[in-house]
Short mmCIF file of all heavy atoms in Angstrom, two decimals:
data_model
loop_
_atom_site.label_atom_id
_atom_site.label_comp_id
_atom_site.label_asym_id
_atom_site.label_seq_id
_atom_site.Cartn_x
_atom_site.Cartn_y
_atom_site.Cartn_z
N VAL A 1 -19.43 -1.99 -14.77
CA VAL A 1 -18.24 -2.73 -14.77
C VAL A 1 -18.64 -4.22 -14.42
O VAL A 1 -19.56 -4.43 -13.70
CB VAL A 1 -17.20 -2.31 -13.70
CG1 VAL A 1 -15.97 -3.17 -13.68
CG2 VAL A 1 -16.81 -0.92 -13.99
N SER A 2 -18.03 -5.19 -15.11
CA SER A 2 -18.46 -6.51 -14.94
C SER A 2 -17.99 -7.02 -13.56
O SER A 2 -17.16 -6.39 -12.97
CB SER A 2 -17.65 -7.50 -15.94
OG SER A 2 -16.24 -7.46 -15.72
N LEU A 3 -18.68 -8.17 -13.10
CA LEU A 3 -18.43 -8.67 -11.80
C LEU A 3 -16.94 -9.14 -11.57
O LEU A 3 -16.45 -8.90 -10.56
CB LEU A 3 -19.37 -9.75 -11.58
CG LEU A 3 -20.90 -9.34 -11.23
CD1 LEU A 3 -21.80 -10.63 -11.07
CD2 LEU A 3 -21.10 -8.33 -10.27
N PRO A 4 -16.35 -9.84 -12.56
CA PRO A 4 -14.95 -10.21 -12.39
C PRO A 4 -13.97 -8.97 -12.17
O PRO A 4 -13.14 -8.95 -11.48
CB PRO A 4 -14.57 -11.00 -13.69
CG PRO A 4 -15.84 -11.59 -14.07
CD PRO A 4 -16.86 -10.53 -13.84
N SER A 5 -14.37 -7.89 -12.92
CA SER A 5 -13.58 -6.75 -12.81
C SER A 5 -13.80 -6.01 -11.48
O SER A 5 -12.85 -5.47 -10.89
CB SER A 5 -13.89 -5.75 -13.93
OG SER A 5 -13.61 -6.30 -15.14
N ILE A 6 -14.98 -6.08 -11.00
CA ILE A 6 -15.26 -5.60 -9.61
C ILE A 6 -14.45 -6.42 -8.55
O ILE A 6 -13.88 -5.79 -7.62
CB ILE A 6 -16.70 -5.57 -9.37
CG1 ILE A 6 -17.44 -4.57 -10.20
CG2 ILE A 6 -17.08 -5.33 -7.86
CD1 ILE A 6 -18.81 -4.45 -10.09
N GLY A 7 -14.39 -7.78 -8.78
CA GLY A 7 -13.64 -8.51 -7.92
C GLY A 7 -12.09 -8.08 -7.90
O GLY A 7 -11.51 -8.06 -6.92
N LEU A 8 -11.67 -7.79 -9.10
CA LEU A 8 -10.29 -7.29 -9.19
C LEU A 8 -10.08 -5.89 -8.43
O LEU A 8 -9.05 -5.65 -7.82
CB LEU A 8 -9.96 -7.25 -10.76
CG LEU A 8 -8.49 -6.78 -10.98
CD1 LEU A 8 -7.55 -7.87 -10.54
CD2 LEU A 8 -8.36 -6.53 -12.51
N LEU A 9 -11.07 -5.07 -8.63
CA LEU A 9 -11.00 -3.86 -7.94
C LEU A 9 -10.89 -3.96 -6.51
O LEU A 9 -10.19 -3.32 -5.82
CB LEU A 9 -12.15 -2.98 -8.45
CG LEU A 9 -12.13 -2.31 -9.74
CD1 LEU A 9 -13.54 -1.53 -9.97
CD2 LEU A 9 -11.08 -1.25 -9.90
N ILE A 10 -11.66 -4.99 -6.02
CA ILE A 10 -11.56 -5.12 -4.47
C ILE A 10 -10.25 -5.65 -4.06
O ILE A 10 -9.77 -5.39 -2.96
CB ILE A 10 -12.83 -5.97 -4.09
CG1 ILE A 10 -14.15 -5.40 -4.44
CG2 ILE A 10 -12.73 -6.50 -2.74
CD1 ILE A 10 -15.32 -6.30 -4.25
N ALA A 11 -9.76 -6.55 -4.79
CA ALA A 11 -8.49 -7.28 -4.52
C ALA A 11 -7.11 -6.43 -4.75
O ALA A 11 -6.14 -6.73 -4.01
CB ALA A 11 -8.33 -8.49 -5.38
N ILE A 12 -7.23 -5.39 -5.50
CA ILE A 12 -6.04 -4.63 -5.80
C ILE A 12 -5.38 -4.04 -4.53
O ILE A 12 -4.11 -4.23 -4.29
CB ILE A 12 -6.30 -3.49 -6.80
CG1 ILE A 12 -6.41 -4.09 -8.31
CG2 ILE A 12 -5.18 -2.51 -6.92
CD1 ILE A 12 -6.92 -3.13 -9.36
N PRO A 13 -6.10 -3.36 -3.69
CA PRO A 13 -5.37 -2.71 -2.58
C PRO A 13 -4.82 -3.72 -1.56
O PRO A 13 -3.75 -3.55 -1.02
CB PRO A 13 -6.48 -1.86 -1.89
CG PRO A 13 -7.61 -1.89 -2.72
CD PRO A 13 -7.48 -2.91 -3.73
N GLY A 14 -5.58 -4.73 -1.29
CA GLY A 14 -5.05 -5.88 -0.35
C GLY A 14 -3.87 -6.44 -0.87
O GLY A 14 -2.88 -6.70 -0.12
N PHE A 15 -3.86 -6.90 -2.15
CA PHE A 15 -2.73 -7.63 -2.72
C PHE A 15 -1.48 -6.63 -2.75
O PHE A 15 -0.38 -7.02 -2.49
CB PHE A 15 -3.07 -8.00 -4.13
CG PHE A 15 -1.93 -8.78 -4.76
CD1 PHE A 15 -1.66 -10.05 -4.51
CD2 PHE A 15 -1.22 -8.18 -5.77
CE1 PHE A 15 -0.57 -10.75 -4.96
CE2 PHE A 15 -0.23 -8.90 -6.37
CZ PHE A 15 0.13 -10.29 -6.05
N LEU A 16 -1.75 -5.39 -3.23
CA LEU A 16 -0.68 -4.43 -3.27
C LEU A 16 -0.10 -4.19 -1.73
O LEU A 16 1.20 -4.07 -1.71
CB LEU A 16 -1.15 -3.10 -3.83
CG LEU A 16 -0.10 -2.12 -4.17
CD1 LEU A 16 0.95 -2.57 -5.21
CD2 LEU A 16 -0.73 -0.83 -4.68
N GLN A 17 -0.89 -4.09 -0.83
CA GLN A 17 -0.49 -3.93 0.46
C GLN A 17 0.33 -5.13 0.98
O GLN A 17 1.41 -4.88 1.59
CB GLN A 17 -1.61 -3.76 1.54
CG GLN A 17 -1.32 -3.57 2.88
CD GLN A 17 -2.46 -3.41 3.80
OE1 GLN A 17 -3.59 -3.43 3.42
NE2 GLN A 17 -2.18 -3.29 5.17
N LEU A 18 -0.04 -6.30 0.73
CA LEU A 18 0.84 -7.48 1.02
C LEU A 18 2.14 -7.45 0.33
O LEU A 18 3.22 -7.80 1.00
CB LEU A 18 0.08 -8.79 0.66
CG LEU A 18 -0.99 -9.26 1.55
CD1 LEU A 18 -1.64 -10.47 0.93
CD2 LEU A 18 -0.44 -9.56 2.91
N CYS A 19 2.19 -6.98 -0.91
CA CYS A 19 3.47 -6.96 -1.64
C CYS A 19 4.42 -5.94 -1.30
O CYS A 19 5.66 -6.11 -1.35
CB CYS A 19 3.10 -6.97 -3.09
SG CYS A 19 2.24 -8.36 -3.79
N ILE A 20 3.99 -4.78 -0.89
CA ILE A 20 4.81 -3.61 -0.62
C ILE A 20 5.07 -3.35 0.78
O ILE A 20 5.82 -2.35 1.05
CB ILE A 20 4.19 -2.38 -1.47
CG1 ILE A 20 5.29 -1.45 -1.81
CG2 ILE A 20 3.07 -1.76 -0.77
CD1 ILE A 20 4.92 -0.37 -2.84
N THR A 21 4.49 -4.03 1.73
CA THR A 21 4.59 -3.49 3.10
C THR A 21 6.05 -3.74 3.56
O THR A 21 6.51 -2.78 4.37
CB THR A 21 3.73 -4.57 3.96
OG1 THR A 21 2.35 -4.32 3.62
CG2 THR A 21 3.88 -4.28 5.50
N LEU A 22 6.85 -4.73 3.08
CA LEU A 22 8.14 -4.74 3.57
C LEU A 22 9.11 -3.65 2.97
O LEU A 22 9.84 -3.04 3.80
CB LEU A 22 8.80 -6.13 2.98
CG LEU A 22 8.28 -7.36 3.74
CD1 LEU A 22 8.80 -8.52 3.06
CD2 LEU A 22 8.58 -7.31 5.21
N ILE A 23 8.79 -3.14 1.81
CA ILE A 23 9.54 -2.03 1.33
C ILE A 23 9.05 -0.68 2.06
O ILE A 23 9.96 0.10 2.46
CB ILE A 23 9.14 -1.88 -0.23
CG1 ILE A 23 9.59 -3.01 -1.05
CG2 ILE A 23 9.72 -0.66 -0.79
CD1 ILE A 23 9.13 -3.04 -2.41
N CYS A 24 7.78 -0.61 2.31
CA CYS A 24 7.27 0.52 3.11
C CYS A 24 8.04 0.46 4.57
O CYS A 24 8.35 1.50 5.04
CB CYS A 24 5.86 0.46 3.29
SG CYS A 24 4.99 0.83 1.87
N GLY A 25 8.23 -0.69 5.12
CA GLY A 25 8.83 -0.72 6.39
C GLY A 25 10.23 -0.25 6.43
O GLY A 25 10.69 0.58 7.46
N GLY A 26 11.06 -0.53 5.39
CA GLY A 26 12.32 0.03 5.28
C GLY A 26 12.33 1.54 5.11
O GLY A 26 13.11 2.22 5.58
N LEU A 27 11.38 2.01 4.19
CA LEU A 27 11.32 3.49 3.95
C LEU A 27 10.88 4.22 5.31
O LEU A 27 11.32 5.28 5.55
CB LEU A 27 10.18 3.67 2.76
CG LEU A 27 10.75 3.20 1.49
CD1 LEU A 27 9.57 3.38 0.38
CD2 LEU A 27 11.96 4.02 0.99
N ILE A 28 9.94 3.67 6.09
CA ILE A 28 9.52 4.32 7.27
C ILE A 28 10.73 4.40 8.28
O ILE A 28 10.84 5.37 9.01
CB ILE A 28 8.32 3.56 7.83
CG1 ILE A 28 7.13 3.62 6.95
CG2 ILE A 28 7.97 4.15 9.23
CD1 ILE A 28 6.72 5.15 6.56
N ASP A 29 11.47 3.27 8.42
CA ASP A 29 12.66 3.32 9.17
C ASP A 29 13.61 4.41 8.67
O ASP A 29 14.20 5.10 9.68
CB ASP A 29 13.39 1.95 9.13
CG ASP A 29 12.74 0.92 10.05
OD1 ASP A 29 11.96 1.22 10.88
OD2 ASP A 29 13.05 -0.32 9.95
N LYS A 30 13.78 4.68 7.56
CA LYS A 30 14.73 5.58 7.06
C LYS A 30 14.15 7.05 7.07
O LYS A 30 14.76 7.95 7.50
CB LYS A 30 14.98 5.23 5.51
CG LYS A 30 16.01 6.19 4.79
CD LYS A 30 16.24 5.62 3.56
CE LYS A 30 17.27 6.41 2.82
NZ LYS A 30 17.70 6.00 1.50
N TRP A 31 12.76 7.21 6.80
CA TRP A 31 12.17 8.58 6.79
C TRP A 31 11.46 8.98 7.98
O TRP A 31 11.31 10.16 8.21
CB TRP A 31 11.31 8.61 5.55
CG TRP A 31 11.91 8.48 4.19
CD1 TRP A 31 13.25 8.74 3.79
CD2 TRP A 31 11.25 8.19 2.96
NE1 TRP A 31 13.45 8.49 2.47
CE2 TRP A 31 12.22 8.07 1.99
CE3 TRP A 31 9.96 7.70 2.67
CZ2 TRP A 31 11.95 7.72 0.67
CZ3 TRP A 31 9.62 7.39 1.34
CH2 TRP A 31 10.57 7.38 0.41
N GLY A 32 11.04 8.08 8.81
CA GLY A 32 10.20 8.32 9.98
C GLY A 32 8.65 8.13 9.75
O GLY A 32 8.21 8.11 8.50
N GLU A 33 7.88 8.07 10.79
CA GLU A 33 6.49 7.80 10.82
C GLU A 33 5.72 9.01 10.28
O GLU A 33 4.76 8.77 9.56
CB GLU A 33 6.08 7.46 12.13
CG GLU A 33 6.48 6.17 12.67
CD GLU A 33 7.81 6.25 13.53
OE1 GLU A 33 8.30 7.39 13.68
OE2 GLU A 33 8.23 5.19 13.94
N LYS A 34 6.29 10.18 10.56
CA LYS A 34 5.53 11.42 10.10
C LYS A 34 5.42 11.39 8.61
O LYS A 34 4.35 11.70 8.00
CB LYS A 34 6.22 12.56 10.72
CG LYS A 34 5.42 13.88 10.42
CD LYS A 34 6.07 15.14 11.11
CE LYS A 34 5.35 16.43 10.65
NZ LYS A 34 5.97 17.44 11.30
N THR A 35 6.57 11.15 7.92
CA THR A 35 6.62 11.12 6.42
C THR A 35 5.67 9.94 6.04
O THR A 35 4.99 10.13 4.94
CB THR A 35 7.99 10.88 5.96
OG1 THR A 35 8.84 11.89 6.56
CG2 THR A 35 8.03 10.89 4.40
N GLY A 36 5.65 8.86 6.75
CA GLY A 36 4.65 7.75 6.38
C GLY A 36 3.21 8.28 6.39
O GLY A 36 2.48 7.89 5.37
N TYR A 37 2.84 8.92 7.45
CA TYR A 37 1.52 9.48 7.53
C TYR A 37 1.21 10.40 6.39
O TYR A 37 0.14 10.44 5.91
CB TYR A 37 1.29 10.02 8.81
CG TYR A 37 1.16 9.11 10.00
CD1 TYR A 37 1.76 9.30 11.25
CD2 TYR A 37 0.29 7.88 9.84
CE1 TYR A 37 1.52 8.38 12.34
CE2 TYR A 37 0.19 7.17 10.83
CZ TYR A 37 0.82 7.28 12.18
OH TYR A 37 0.63 6.41 13.14
N LEU A 38 2.16 11.18 6.08
CA LEU A 38 1.95 12.24 5.06
C LEU A 38 1.82 11.55 3.78
O LEU A 38 1.02 11.82 2.90
CB LEU A 38 3.06 13.20 4.90
CG LEU A 38 3.25 14.28 6.03
CD1 LEU A 38 4.49 14.99 5.91
CD2 LEU A 38 2.04 15.20 6.10
N LEU A 39 2.54 10.58 3.49
CA LEU A 39 2.33 9.72 2.15
C LEU A 39 0.97 9.06 2.17
O LEU A 39 0.41 8.85 1.13
CB LEU A 39 3.51 8.69 2.02
CG LEU A 39 4.79 9.15 1.66
CD1 LEU A 39 6.01 8.20 1.82
CD2 LEU A 39 4.83 9.66 0.18
N THR A 40 0.65 8.51 3.40
CA THR A 40 -0.68 7.77 3.40
C THR A 40 -1.79 8.85 3.04
O THR A 40 -2.64 8.53 2.19
CB THR A 40 -0.97 7.37 4.86
OG1 THR A 40 -0.16 6.36 5.24
CG2 THR A 40 -2.35 6.90 5.04
#
């Protein structure tokens, strides 16, 4: 895989985590921490 693509692979989880954490917070409040750990 090319080096720019490897950089993209490294960035995907962190960027996604930043974007979706607020949504996950609402879901964890609704479903509970145990469900969050199971999803993890």
